[in-house]
Amino acid sequence: MEELLKESLREEEKLLWSGRPEAFETLDKTHKIPFIRKGIITAIVTIAICAGYVILAGAQDAPLKPGVLAVVAACGVFLIVRGLLDASKIRKRMQYAITDKRLIILTDSDKSVEYSAISAAKLSSDKDGHISLLCGENAIKAKPWRRRELALTGAVTNDTTGVCESFVMYALPETDKVNEILKSYLSL
């Protein structure tokens, strides 16, 4: 990861801070209820699609293809488990960097946003006390349980204006130090 950070830095760009997300539980207070809700809805939709397929095939005297049911069920299971996988990816493979020019999230590649593209930003805490840096109106308005997803998405900018709509650094460690650095670049 350190090598990727070195490769991501541009010429004459100064690294001011870097760190990994602080430790967090996968199904903490902020994420447990939304995870269960999504799981139930996904299971219901998956079962409804499978039942619809069986009913439609039976009504048309068409042979049932178990592979179709298996694919639909696998997609449903993946959608349910995805939240757990996202949390693991953030914990194990994500690194944050703050430079004098931009904010960077590193996973397999770098996702960054220039300070000049950020019109709104704030530090916000969730029910579990994890503080996230939210940049862009969509990130600021997003529910706390969506912050992990948004962190994995990286920077989302408006194609016309170039303004950052969403960029999140979830469970930001050393927030006092980070806040002090960012005061020079963003209005928090």
Side-chain angles (χ1 to χ4, degrees):
M1 193 61 73
E2 295 300 322
E3 194 61 38
L4 182 59
L5 176 57
K6 288 178 187 175
E7 291 172 12
S8 296
L9 293 176
R10 299 175 184 157
E11 276 188 46
E12 300 184 24
E13 184 175 41
K14 183 179 174 187
L15 179 65
L16 304 174
W17 176 89
S18 71
R20 295 188 174 277
E22 65 186 4
F24 60 87
E25 290 182 38
T26 301
L27 294 177
D28 53 18
K29 288 182 244 174
T30 304
H31 296 90
K32 187 174 189 173
I33 298 299
F35 176 80
I36 292 169
R37 187 179 317 128
K38 281 182 186 178
I40 291 170
I41 291 169
T42 302
I44 290 169
V45 169
T46 301
I47 291 167
I49 290 170
C50 290
Y53 172 71
V54 169
I55 291 167
L56 188 61
Q60 296 179 353
D61 289 328
L64 281 178
K65 299 192 181 209
V68 172
L69 295 172
V71 168
V72 171
C75 289
V77 169
F78 173 75
L79 289 174
I80 292 170
V81 175
R82 193 180 110 204
L84 305 175
L85 298 174
D86 288 351
S88 177
K89 185 173 183 179
I90 290 171
R91 261 195 305 275
K92 294 178 181 174
R93 296 178 27 210
M94 189 170 278
Q95 182 177 5
Y96 303 135
I98 298 172
T99 74
D100 58 340
K101 309 270 187 230
R102 62 195 171 124
L103 301 170
I104 304 169
I105 294 177
L106 299 159
T107 50
D108 301 326
S109 61
D110 78 46
K111 300 164 186 158
S112 66
V113 63
E114 304 280 335
Y115 294 121
S116 60
I118 300 172
S119 62
K122 80 177 209 178
L123 290 169
S124 181
S125 180
D126 62 20
K127 290 179 192 174
D128 300 285
H130 301 296
I131 297 174
S132 298
L133 173 61
L134 311 173
C135 299
E137 290 299 324
N138 292 347
I140 291 170
K141 292 177 185 175
K143 301 282 187 198
W145 55 266
R146 289 212 56 237
R147 293 177 183 166
R148 290 181 189 170
E149 297 169 20
L150 294 174
L152 288 167
T153 303
V156 176
T157 56
N158 183 299
D159 292 336
T160 307
T161 64
V163 173
C164 176
E165 295 176 346
S166 175
F167 184 85
V168 174
M169 289 182 164
Y170 175 76
L172 200 57
E174 303 177 27
T175 50
D176 291 339
K177 184 176 181 179
V178 168
N179 189 22
E180 201 55 42
I181 294 167
L182 291 176
K183 280 182 185 178
S184 302
Y185 302 98
L186 298 172
S187 298
L188 297 174

